[in-house]
Amino acid sequence: MRETPIGWYLFDLLFASMKKKKKGYKVVIFFFTLLIYTTFHMTRKPISVVKSVLHENCTDKAAKEHKIVTPDNNTFCDWKPFDKDNWSELLGNLDLAYLLAYAVSMFCSGHIAERVNIRYFLTIGMFLCGLSTSLFGLGFYLQIHNYYYYLFVQIFAGMVQASGWPTVVSCMGNWFGKKRRGFLMGLWNAHTSLGNILGAIIAAAFVETAWGLSFIVPGAIIIGMGIIVFLFLTPYPEDVGCHTAPQTGELLGSMHSAVAVIYAGSSSQSQSLVVIKDSSISTLDYESVNRETQPILSKKLEIQSNISFLQALLIPGVIEYSLCLFFAKLVSYTFLFWLPTLIKNTGTLDSKDSANLSAIMDAGGILGGIIAGIINDLTGASALTCSGMLVIAVPYLYVYYLYGSTQMAATIILLLFLGILVNGPYALITTAVSADLGTHDTLMGNARAIATVTAIIDGTGSLGAALGPLLTGLLLTRYGWKSIFIMLMIATALAAILLTRRVFKEIVIIHKQRKEKLTERICQEKEYA
């Protein structure tokens, strides 16, 4: 048993019985982890808002400020080094550096998260996220115009951001079973869009006056949340005396991993636990297991063994969903990093209003995650749900390109449904599907695989997320926004195609289930007759 965080003792006063405790703790974990990852996404959003002031149309700004533009000062309003003709490529490379670092670190993060104290790991990660975000904003106040400074900060930010996702998904997977997981995870995945909305609002408040605060304020908020995580986060129900019901195959997995756990009595100094595992006997010091000062790299023996990267990769469905998420996340993150710039460049809004309007798509993303989760719960067909939304999204992207900047009302409606179609499949794959695969029957109840499976799926998706903003930066100055939307339509179509095999498999299963129900009904009618 791991140590109980100091803050969780306060909840003992709120929940009297064990039944109330378990329900109360679940509610706390649900909203707590939601808030945790909201702050992670909040710190990712400012760069997309600030891009619009790092390089502006100085001619338009000079007209508003009654200034005269000459060949010598035609970039007076731009922030060096983004005042050059290749400004979009420079900004695209910043996105690439961040997302590549995030993707590579994600594969390592999930592997590490299974082997360390999750609470400590997440706390350190949130402190470093706050630091990396604030460093970018300090460039404004310290008048830093060296491109490699911002490049290094983005690489550092990508590395530490990877500490968040595997840990929070692992916490949710440990506390909640598979029943109604699609709806719960869809609702819980609102953190992505809530973080984007909050990040956009905070960044927009300072972008026109002091864009450095667009980064520093979110950085301070996530550091504050990191302190709360250290005091309250409990990744496992067992840490507070709650035991979840065994999932499919868990009993067999427990028999395989441990023949028995024997209480070996006590001495005057300490008590010991003797664990018989695979015919080998080890002794665990009871006090060291339950001590608050337990190191992050715990050396104690775990009842459930960790799975290897290859074992996780070979779980049925992991490869297909990972490749699908590669393209789905390419589309989602292109909008995450470039949507405010798109709205400003194709309309008449300023940077602040463009950032606020982009939040409409994130509101649609919340609805998309919930809708996808409900459909998944009702049908049990996650691939069919994802591919259906992706297929509809392909022509819809073209519709948005044609009419997305015509009228304000049309823009709001189109952005809302764009968020539903683009973020729905992305949300379902990264939450419910990842948790389901991490507790697949082939793992024999070893729930410790959730972090590794989540890291593989989201890490592969993050490679696509790195590619999308990079290609946007390269294509934008050469071919314009039309080429960007063609790229997004192709990526969305490929995401749907990659799930084809699983779609057919789910259709066969659904047909078989309906046939069995029909046969059962006919048999019952004959018995009554």
Side-chain angles (χ1 to χ4, degrees):
M1 184 176 179
R2 290 152 291 272
E3 79 284 355
T4 302
I6 297 173
W8 274 82
Y9 290 110
L10 297 175
F11 291 105
D12 288 336
L13 302 175
L14 299 176
F15 310 119
S17 65
M18 181 54 66
K19 187 176 181 180
K20 287 184 178 180
K21 279 185 179 181
K22 188 173 181 180
K23 289 182 178 180
Y25 288 157
K26 279 190 172 184
V27 172
V28 172
I29 285 291
F30 181 89
F31 287 104
F32 191 24
T33 51
L34 185 148
L35 286 174
I36 289 170
Y37 212 68
T38 294
T39 60
F40 270 94
H41 255 271
M42 176 191 63
T43 58
R44 298 180 192 180
K45 188 65 178 179
I47 184 67
S48 67
V49 176
V50 173
K51 278 178 183 176
S52 59
V53 296
L54 294 179
H55 185 90
E56 299 186 71
N57 187 328
C58 293
T59 303
D60 293 342
K61 190 163 186 177
K64 294 178 182 178
E65 298 178 0
H66 305 291
K67 293 182 178 179
I68 298 175
V69 178
T70 64
D72 295 330
N73 71 341
N74 60 359
T75 59
F76 75 91
C77 64
D78 297 335
W79 184 269
K80 295 180 181 181
F82 305 105
D83 57 343
K84 301 179 176 61
D85 292 336
N86 65 337
W87 63 273
S88 64
E89 293 181 25
L90 294 176
L91 291 172
N93 288 336
L94 287 184
D95 297 337
L96 175 67
Y98 167 83
L99 291 166
L100 272 182
Y102 176 80
V104 173
S105 301
M106 180 62 72
F107 291 107
C108 303
S109 179
H111 202 64
I112 295 172
E114 288 184 357
R115 292 159 173 79
V116 302
N117 186 307
I118 288 180
R119 181 164 59 92
Y120 295 166
F121 182 67
L122 187 57
T123 300
I124 293 171
M126 295 181 80
F127 269 78
L128 294 177
C129 281
L131 174 63
S132 64
T133 306
S134 299
L135 284 175
F136 201 106
L138 286 174
F140 174 80
Y141 292 99
L142 299 178
Q143 291 293 306
I144 298 175
H145 298 282
N146 188 318
Y147 178 72
Y148 293 102
Y149 169 81
Y150 297 103
L151 191 67
F152 168 78
V153 169
Q154 285 294 85
I155 293 172
F156 177 46
M159 291 173 63
V160 296
Q161 277 274 347
S163 63
W165 188 241
T167 50
V168 293
V169 173
S170 181
C171 289
M172 283 293 290
N174 292 332
W175 276 92
F176 293 89
K178 292 187 177 183
K179 185 178 180 181
R180 299 182 67 194
R181 179 175 277 178
F183 170 73
L184 284 172
M185 286 297 198
L187 185 62
W188 178 72
N189 197 66
H191 54 56
T192 299
S193 298
L194 287 174
N196 292 340
I197 293 170
L198 187 59
I201 292 173
I202 293 173
F206 305 105
V207 66
E208 296 284 355
T209 54
W211 61 258
L213 289 174
S214 297
F215 293 91
I216 293 173
V217 173
I221 292 174
I222 195 172
I223 289 175
M225 181 58 73
I227 296 173
I228 298 174
V229 165
F230 178 77
L231 294 175
F232 289 96
L233 182 66
T234 301
Y236 300 93
E238 295 81 5
D239 294 351
V240 287
C242 298
H243 298 278
T244 55
Q247 298 182 22
T248 305
E250 192 171 60
L251 180 59
L252 182 58
S254 299
M255 291 173 63
H256 174 76
S257 62
V259 178
V261 178
I262 305 174
Y263 184 71
S266 61
S267 64
S268 58
Q269 299 295 327
S270 65
Q271 293 176 326
S272 297
L273 291 176
V274 177
V275 180
I276 304 176
K277 178 178 179 180
D278 296 333
S279 301
S280 62
I281 300 178
S282 302
T283 301
L284 303 181
D285 180 65
Y286 182 82
E287 289 182 346
S288 67
V289 173
N290 199 35
R291 192 180 295 139
E292 181 62 30
T293 56
Q294 178 188 353
I296 185 170
L297 292 173
S298 175
K299 296 182 180 180
K300 69 181 185 293
L301 181 65
E302 292 289 342
I303 297 297
Q304 290 184 331
S305 59
N306 302 301
I307 69 166
S308 67
F309 182 88
L310 182 60
Q311 285 175 311
L313 196 65
L314 294 178
I315 296 172
V318 168
I319 294 177
E320 287 154 306
Y321 280 112
S322 297
L323 294 175
C324 173
L325 190 62
F326 177 92
F327 291 103
K329 208 166 181 180
L330 182 154
V331 177
S332 180
Y333 268 64
T334 298
F335 283 112
L336 173 65
F337 282 94
W338 285 93
L339 183 57
T341 305
L342 167 65
I343 294 173
K344 183 181 178 181
N345 289 356
T346 57
T348 59
L349 300 178
D350 59 17
S351 299
K352 181 178 180 179
D353 292 336
S354 297
N356 289 329
L357 187 60
S358 69
I360 300 295
M361 182 176 176
D362 293 307
I366 296 175
L367 294 175
I370 295 172
I371 291 170
I374 292 173
I375 296 173
N376 180 60
D377 284 341
L378 294 174
T379 62
S382 56
L384 197 58
T385 304
C386 292
S387 62
M389 298 181 78
L390 290 168
V391 168
I392 298 173
V394 175
Y396 190 85
L397 283 165
Y398 186 66
V399 172
Y400 180 82
Y401 169 73
L402 293 177
Y403 305 106
S405 58
T406 53
Q407 295 180 349
M408 180 61 70
T411 301
I412 291 173
I413 294 172
L414 288 171
L415 279 173
L416 185 68
F417 283 95
L418 185 65
I420 292 173
L421 295 173
V422 169
N423 290 339
Y426 162 46
L428 185 62
I429 293 172
T430 54
T431 53
V433 171
S434 295
D436 285 343
L437 294 176
T439 54
H440 196 272
D441 291 346
T442 58
L443 295 171
M444 304 176 72
N446 188 353
R448 292 176 63 83
I450 294 178
T452 298
V453 171
T454 301
I456 291 173
I457 294 176
D458 199 53
T460 305
S462 297
L463 293 174
L467 183 62
L470 171 67
L471 292 177
T472 300
L474 294 173
L475 294 172
L476 183 57
T477 52
R478 292 178 173 84
Y479 307 107
W481 287 106
K482 184 176 181 179
S483 63
I484 307 302
F485 276 88
I486 292 173
M487 173 193 75
L488 297 176
M489 291 168 67
I490 293 172
T492 304
L494 289 173
I497 291 170
L498 284 165
L499 291 179
T500 302
R501 190 185 73 87
R502 295 201 67 83
V503 167
F504 281 114
K505 186 177 179 180
E506 288 178 353
I507 291 174
V508 170
I509 293 173
I510 292 173
H511 178 71
K512 184 179 178 181
Q513 289 175 343
R514 288 182 177 178
K515 191 175 180 180
E516 289 175 350
K517 287 182 179 179
L518 181 62
T519 304
E520 185 179 351
R521 187 184 303 171
I522 293 172
C523 291
Q524 288 177 349
E525 289 176 354
K526 287 182 178 180
E527 289 178 1
Y528 288 128

